[in-house]
Amino acid sequence: MSNDSPNSNKSKATRKQPDLRQFLSKRKKLHENESNNSPSLSPPQSQEDDMEMGGSSTCNVPLEENLLYDVELLPHDPGKRINIMDYPANERNAVRRGYILKKPCQPKTHDFPQRQVSGLRRFSVHWFKKWDWLEYSIEKDATFCFVCYLFKNEVDSYSGGDAFVDGGFRAWNKPERFEKHVGGINSAHNLAYEKYVNLRDGKKKSILNVFDNASEVIKSEYFIRLNASLTCLRFLLGQGLAFRGHDESGESYNRGNFLELLKWLGEKVEEVRQHTLEKAPKNCQMISSSIQKDIINCCAKETTRCIIEEVGDDYFAILADESSDVSQKEQLALVLRFVNRDSGKVMERFLGIVHVGNTTALTLKDAIMSLLVEHSLSPSMIRGQGYDGASNMKGEINGLKTLIMNDTPSAYYVHCFSHQLQLTLVAVAKKNDSCGWLFEILANLLNVVGVSCKRREMIRQDQAQEVARALDVGDIVLVHIGKHGVSEDKFKAQIVLGQLESFDFVFIAHLMLTIFGYTNDLCVALQRKEQDIVNAMELVTYTKLVLQKMREQGWDTLLNKVTSFCAKHGIVVPTMDSPYVPQGRSRRFVEEATNEHHFRVGIFVRVIDLHLQELDDRFNERNMEILICMACLSPKDNFSSFDKDKVLKLASFYPEEFSSFDLMALECQLDIFMENMLNDDRFQGLNDLNSLSMMLVKTNKHKTFPLIHLLIKLMLILPVATASVERVFSAMTCVKNKLRNSMGDQLMNDCLVTFIEKNVFLRVSDEKIVDRFQNMKTRRMKV
């Protein structure tokens, strides 16, 4: 049997001790009777979560130190674990409990690769049902024994020899070796399994519970305090608020949002239930920061569980981006895009945020894969990727999208449409001197009046109000400086004011404002979560048509609008037949032409042509053949663009989903499908693929036409924009702000999940959270 295991005959004495800081967090208890002259120590880095949750920002020399395992940091993939005996002896049970909470690694939806073992063979997912102890490592494409990894060294003293522990078993042609590994009743595996069951179910057999003589009143009081804490934390998490308040002087955390809510809730409990808990508010205040963190973690885990259940074992796309938080730690946010199987609606859900050491493509890929495996999502189910277009993301050789497509060829990459639109408008401003001159003036004015704006990046129509306010305020400021400032400032103010009151400025401002108005609707539409890629391409096409129509027919309209504005504000309008005189520049650097030729051909036509050229270059359907085929299933105008051959070609882009037999079945199914759609009034008037998918599910026709519904689902999964990821970073600035910059990564992730996906969080029942909280560790009180 080939096990490919490493040499495991090294003595335990020569084993390198692991860096337990990867898996363990320290919590120091204060010595209540410590003398006043003891030296003060700054809080260690591992205490940052306690500071956020209400712990002390300084501490004295501790009396004792407890090590608490962090379940989330233990590697789930068995191929990445270190030997259980490499942990200190007094911490092995803590690590074992952590792995038992995480459960065996069984990625049931993974696309298990084939390998040459007496023919092409692969791991069978049905083996998970037969042997619950079996684990599969995506990293090593091998199986391991969960219980033997945890307890084999305690029941079997000799070393080496077992592939299910040391290197992994991968002889897929010999499944009988699983039974041989189990062995007889007194085998090492069965003894390890017995220890595993005893440790797993130890809470149920705990002597604390067997001999618990707590009265019903005490249990009721505990239950009220626990639910009061949960209610307060639910409110604060949903609003993205801090759990400890801060006074206006900024000296100390002396007023707690959480404590104030607990007091109020304790009073309400007293009023409503007429309970005898005279000290309920006081008892609520005594809830420790570790308890709060446990409850928050339970809330986030239950929210994530609901999201994973929505995804199920279906296909999904990933949207990812990286950004630094307030403490300058690089964070990677991951959003899943999938089609809800109950409604047929395309959804985008935030999965989590991960701290990464750097932003190289390989590091980002490892972070994404680890996050997916942690939530039992198989990377082989990825069918789309959406990024902002940075070189480390879209690189053709070593970019993130290339690394993922090497493993999953059908995970097609789409450059975020919103970023492409922004780059289009920025490119126009850079290539046209008149536009660049306009943005220079506006950026300076906005900075004068306190409005933050990056140079040449004002692309939203809603900024027109800020620009108008800046012009009004700027005009007053410039006039004041021109009258009362020093000589040098007077000269500069007169120049800038002269530029603002010139026909050149007014004309270019009106032209760009009109173009922004046309592109603003497209920008907003692209950021909708339910937007499908076919509809997005149609919006781009319509925008191009409107700009082309403006180029051909909009000159007179724009000129009349500019002339009326100048007449209203006393700005001189030049004669169109006269030679053009540049504003503030020498005539030698400007081509000789009439005013009409300069403004119409040199600015109006040239700027619009630049926009059209950039839109064609960045939104070119010919660059992605799959987009052309997608449009053939659009329900718009009663499926007027339907093309059977192109639909079949679209299916061929997904060979793992559509075999040659499926393609033949799809060809026949398409004819029946179109007849059904054209004669069913419920499908009339649909305008996009999302509405078509929802109607198919609503009418149960997705079961009648499963291949077509699968194809529509794969089309909807392809992302349009990464706006959802950008919103994650906006939420991160609210949750982890300057006053909460010591917040740890796990706590920040838990707060973000519940804050961003608050609609899912609201569906999570208190009972589910309490059950998870009770089962996290052994607690003295059970409810």
Side-chain angles (χ1 to χ4, degrees), residues 416-466:
C416 173
F417 277 37
S418 295
H419 280 84
Q420 291 187 75
L421 178 61
Q422 181 188 30
L423 293 175
T424 297
L425 299 172
V426 172
V428 172
K430 289 181 177 180
K431 292 179 180 180
N432 188 276
D433 293 337
S434 299
C435 294
W437 175 69
L438 170 73
F439 286 123
E440 289 285 358
I441 297 174
L442 293 180
N444 291 333
L445 278 173
L446 290 175
N447 290 331
V448 168
V449 297
V451 178
S452 176
C453 178
K454 291 185 179 179
R455 177 175 176 266
R456 295 178 176 174
E457 294 187 3
M458 297 186 309
I459 65 171
R460 302 195 311 272
Q461 188 186 33
D462 57 2
Q463 283 191 307
Q465 295 179 355
E466 298 295 339

Side-chain angles (χ1 to χ4, degrees), residues 90-335:
N90 61 335
E91 296 300 331
R92 288 171 194 160
N93 274 345
V95 176
R96 290 183 177 116
R97 289 183 183 275
Y99 277 116
I100 291 174
L101 286 174
K102 293 178 79 71
K103 299 181 179 180
C105 181
Q106 297 182 345
K108 298 180 181 179
T109 60
H110 179 65
D111 184 13
F112 301 100
Q114 291 182 334
R115 56 190 305 271
Q116 190 67 33
V117 187
S118 299
L120 287 177
R121 301 175 186 272
R122 69 175 72 190
F123 179 86
S124 175
V125 72
H126 300 291
W127 293 340
F128 284 140
K129 298 181 180 179
K130 191 170 183 181
W131 294 288
D132 62 340
W133 47 265
L134 193 62
E135 291 188 291
Y136 178 83
S137 170
I138 297 177
E139 179 79 8
K140 293 188 175 181
D141 183 30
T143 56
F144 293 81
C145 178
F146 184 59
V147 298
C148 287
Y149 166 74
L150 296 178
F151 297 101
K152 180 176 183 295
N153 296 88
E154 291 199 359
V155 300
D156 191 7
S157 58
Y158 64 87
S159 63
D162 193 347
F164 287 92
V165 177
D166 298 327
F169 173 80
R170 53 178 65 86
W172 310 136
N173 60 326
K174 300 178 180 180
E176 65 275 7
R177 293 295 179 91
F178 295 140
E179 292 290 354
K180 183 177 179 180
H181 169 74
V182 173
I185 190 171
N186 291 321
S187 67
H189 171 86
N190 283 324
L191 293 175
Y193 195 92
E194 182 180 359
K195 286 183 172 291
Y196 160 71
V197 172
N198 288 337
L199 186 60
R200 182 191 64 186
D201 301 335
K203 298 174 186 177
K204 302 176 183 178
K205 304 173 183 178
S206 172
I207 193 171
L208 293 174
N209 293 326
V210 174
F211 295 100
D212 185 16
N213 57 356
S215 66
E216 292 299 322
V217 174
I218 296 177
K219 290 183 178 180
S220 177
E221 292 177 355
Y222 173 80
F223 183 74
I224 290 175
R225 287 194 295 271
L226 181 60
N227 276 275
S229 302
L230 177 56
T231 301
C232 295
L233 288 172
R234 269 185 176 275
F235 175 79
L236 295 172
L237 287 170
Q239 303 298 321
L241 298 175
F243 309 103
R244 298 285 295 179
H246 197 279
D247 66 352
E248 295 180 358
S249 63
E251 294 177 354
S252 62
Y253 287 83
N254 58 3
R255 291 186 57 83
N257 294 335
F258 178 67
L259 300 182
E260 293 298 323
L261 282 170
L262 281 173
K263 291 179 181 179
W264 175 82
L265 192 63
E267 295 170 359
K268 292 301 177 184
V269 169
E270 192 77 19
E271 293 176 8
V272 176
R273 301 192 59 183
Q274 300 277 316
H275 202 275
T276 58
L277 281 178
E278 206 171 343
K279 299 182 180 179
K282 180 179 179 181
N283 291 337
C284 288
Q285 292 182 38
M286 294 171 61
I287 295 176
S288 66
S289 62
S290 62
I291 296 294
Q292 292 181 32
K293 286 187 293 184
D294 285 348
I295 298 176
I296 293 170
N297 184 256
C298 292
C299 293
K301 289 300 180 185
E302 285 299 316
T303 303
T304 305
R305 181 188 59 80
C306 292
I307 294 174
I308 299 302
E309 287 180 353
E310 283 185 335
V311 180
D313 56 355
D314 214 339
Y315 302 106
F316 59 89
I318 57 174
L319 291 79
D321 199 2
E322 79 279 352
S323 179
S324 298
D325 58 25
V326 69
S327 58
Q328 302 306 311
K329 296 171 68 175
E330 199 70 32
Q331 306 289 350
L332 173 74
L334 185 65
V335 172

Side-chain angles (χ1 to χ4, degrees), residues 657-683:
E657 286 71 37
F658 295 94
S659 62
S660 56
F661 177 79
D662 292 330
L663 291 175
M664 290 188 294
L666 178 62
E667 185 175 5
C668 299
Q669 196 174 108
L670 281 170
D671 294 329
I672 303 175
F673 173 77
M674 285 309 302
E675 289 295 328
N676 196 324
M677 295 296 102
L678 295 175
N679 292 281
D680 193 331
D681 294 337
R682 293 173 295 183
F683 290 87

